[in-house]
Amino acid sequence: MKVDEASTSNAASSCHGGQRANDMSREPVNAVPLDVRAIRGHFGFPELGRVVTNNAASTQPPAELLALYASLGPGYENVHRGQSSASQAMTALFEESYDTIAQFVGAPSRASVALYRNTTEAINAVMYSLLTEFRDGDNVVTTLMEHNSNYVPWYGLCREILPRLGRRVQCRLARFDPVTGELDLGHLASLIDARTKLVCCTGASNFLGTRPPLDQVRALADASGYCQPNGERRSYLLVDGAQLVPGSFTDVQALDVDFLAFSCHKLLAPFGVGVLYGKQHLLEAMLPFLYGGDMIAEGQVFPDKVGYNALPWKYAAGTPNILGAIVSGQAVRMLLDLALSPRRPAYFGTGKPIERPAVREAMGRVAAWNRQLTARVLDGLSQIPGITIYGPRQAERRTSLVAFNLTGRDPILTAQLLDRAGIEARAGCHCATLAHHSLKLDPPASCRLSFYLYNTPAEVDRAVAAVAAIAAGHRQPAIAAGHHQPTIPWFRRPLRRAGRRHARPPARMAPA
């Protein structure tokens, strides 16, 4: 059996630092367990016998959010500047979603939040907004652990865009330990210097599961001495929070990040809305990413001058994804309700302010449950002969996903065989191509199981048993009772709505 271990003394030291790093992302030590049975009643997938273990890509939407989306249709109208009562009602719900998202991550106000289609576009927004500030000889530092979305934009900036403008800017890549999966902080420090305008780092790897010590990364960026246009002498820090925010208590002010990007479709929203948090003084000074439409101040367009709208609308060009934003804000509220009181929702469908203690408690419960599931799958998989598990071996040092390979077996085929057994895994590079190449994987791929608050220990055991059967040479693992493999695609089958008691959206959410 080959299992990557993470128990070296250096790794232990790094882990201790990581715990300090993520103090504001830590759950209460004695978190109250989730009421998972009640939680699952709000979703439709259990009725199909699905074992959903690809949550790192997208989570499942609760029935309430799907019903809410449908209920908003009859009163739909464009937002801002409309005189109709429908426009004003829709605008109020739309703007309220910004407030909800800001409160969820601890931002001072909605002025620090911009909405895009996904995490990728949010990171690109930072790249394009900072593009003209880069000087010849500058550099960007990121890591080999990143999702492609937090590397390829900087590659494009340094290798394709700025060279055409006559500027030479480097993109530097920090290593990670191939055994422990931990970020090599020493190497990262050696890459940051007085010409480092920006440091980009994942909050949690979507392949290794590693959670880098963000406080130490922040300290390295602060100490660079780079002279920013506003006179600050430090490097900016951008954190890809796509895997961090959905399963952890996150406070952007405590973490002191300059930019944080994450996606609502990874925290229960049924479609793509991405969030960019940025420090308000930076968003005020930066150029917009997109121009036109709602990002223009009312009446402020002249042949020789254009005035931009106030934050956050400066970063909201054109007609936005109105319904997506509203439902994403309510997804945050739904997440809190599921964690705190799934049988008696308190936040969903309301404009009730989200208090920080409630967010901390809710996300602490989610993190504790995810950690329990992750520990269980790590323990189970580690008993399988011929398996390689990537990243830290301690559940408390990683997010709720586990990527692995079976000796001599193609990971894509492994995922296909898992699907035949009713386990919805995912295989490929997971858009973490640099890390797969760094580990010299051929093909650059792995199979991944990822969990969220509605998964159960029994589902973990089923997944582990299916992996064990495949490793033992069974090309057709047993299909668990209750799993449907109909000739008609499952999404065309009539589905009795789950959680019928709560599926109807509150009357408050219907626009006037």
Side-chain angles (χ1 to χ4, degrees), residues 102-121:
Q103 293 164 12
F104 182 63
V105 297
S109 73
R110 72 167 74 151
S112 297
V113 171
L115 298 186
Y116 293 100
R117 290 181 295 178
N118 41 53
T119 303
T120 300
E121 189 170 84

Side-chain angles (χ1 to χ4, degrees), residues 182-440:
E182 301 283 357
L183 178 63
D184 187 334
L185 290 170
H187 189 231
L188 177 67
S190 73
L191 299 178
I192 298 173
D193 58 28
R195 298 307 302 271
T196 302
K197 181 172 181 62
L198 180 71
V199 177
C200 304
C201 184
T202 183
S205 167
N206 75 320
F207 163 47
L208 300 167
T210 313
R211 296 175 58 174
L214 294 179
D215 69 332
Q216 296 181 53
V217 177
R218 167 78 274 172
L220 293 173
D222 280 345
S224 73
Y226 182 90
C227 185
Q228 300 287 358
N230 61 4
E232 293 181 272
R233 302 195 69 90
R234 63 184 183 85
S235 302
Y236 296 144
L237 173 61
L238 181 152
V239 172
D240 175 358
Q243 299 298 328
L244 176 69
V245 174
S248 304
F249 174 71
T250 304
D251 190 309
V252 292
Q253 294 185 78
L255 291 172
D256 196 26
V257 294
D258 296 290
F259 306 101
L260 174 78
F262 62 97
S263 292
C264 293
H265 70 91
K266 297 181 190 293
L267 41 76
L268 304 182
F271 29 68
V273 169
V275 178
L276 174 65
Y277 159 81
K279 289 183 176 177
Q280 185 170 339
H281 73 281
L282 298 181
L283 296 181
E284 288 172 342
M286 287 161 45
L287 293 176
F289 167 36
L290 298 171
Y291 290 76
D294 207 21
M295 56 82 64
I296 302 166
E298 181 71 25
Q300 296 300 305
V301 178
F302 305 96
D304 59 346
K305 180 183 178 182
V306 173
Y308 300 140
N309 210 340
L311 295 176
W313 319 123
K314 175 184 173 182
Y315 293 91
T319 296
N321 181 0
I322 299 167
L323 299 186
I326 293 171
V327 176
S328 292
Q330 290 298 316
V332 168
R333 294 176 175 275
M334 191 73 197
L335 176 58
L336 299 183
D337 281 339
L338 292 179
L340 296 174
S341 55
R343 300 179 190 274
R344 298 185 64 184
Y347 289 101
F348 175 70
T350 76
K352 177 181 177 181
I354 296 175
E355 308 88 355
R356 297 306 289 159
V359 178
R360 180 188 288 273
E361 175 64 23
M363 297 312 296
R365 295 185 187 186
V366 172
W369 183 250
N370 287 347
R371 187 175 62 244
Q372 179 180 333
L373 297 177
T374 305
R376 192 179 187 99
V377 75
L378 285 169
D379 289 343
L381 292 179
S382 66
Q383 307 303 314
I384 298 174
I387 196 169
T388 299
I389 298 172
Y390 303 103
R393 286 287 287 114
Q394 291 79 16
E396 64 272 15
R397 293 169 55 191
R398 61 187 301 150
T399 189
S400 54
L401 61 87
V402 178
F404 63 91
N405 270 319
L406 299 174
T407 300
R409 298 195 175 275
D410 180 85
I412 304 294
L413 177 59
T414 297
Q416 292 170 343
L417 292 174
L418 285 172
D419 183 62
R420 294 180 190 176
I423 309 299
E424 299 178 13
R426 184 170 183 170
C429 68
H430 316 299
C431 294
T433 315
L434 288 173
H436 282 77
H437 284 311
S438 180
L439 293 175
K440 298 180 171 54

Side-chain angles (χ1 to χ4, degrees), residues 24-95:
M24 296 311 301
S25 301
R26 300 305 252 180
E27 66 277 3
V29 175
N30 297 312
V32 176
L34 296 178
D35 186 349
V36 179
R37 180 169 182 170
I39 289 171
R40 288 169 69 87
H42 292 265
F43 296 85
F45 72 88
E47 295 186 28
L48 296 172
R50 297 175 61 198
V51 179
V52 178
T53 59
N54 187 25
N55 297 288
S58 285
T59 50
Q60 297 294 302
E64 289 87 342
L65 294 180
L66 299 175
L68 171 60
Y69 185 80
S71 75
L72 292 170
Y76 177 79
E77 182 55 281
N78 213 323
V79 297
H80 296 152
R81 304 173 187 169
Q83 285 71 49
S84 70
S85 58
S87 176
Q88 293 175 28
M90 194 65 66
T91 296
L93 294 176
F94 176 72
E95 293 187 351

Side-chain angles (χ1 to χ4, degrees), residues 3-16:
V3 180
D4 287 306
E5 296 295 337
S7 56
T8 64
S9 59
N10 288 339
S13 174
S14 178
C15 174
H16 190 281

Side-chain angles (χ1 to χ4, degrees), residues 117-139:
R117 290 181 295 178
N118 41 53
T119 303
T120 300
E121 189 170 84
I123 293 173
N124 272 268
V126 177
M127 186 271 281
Y128 279 107
S129 293
L130 293 179
L131 188 151
T132 59
E133 295 186 11
F134 281 88
R135 303 188 296 267
D136 192 48
D138 283 355
N139 65 75

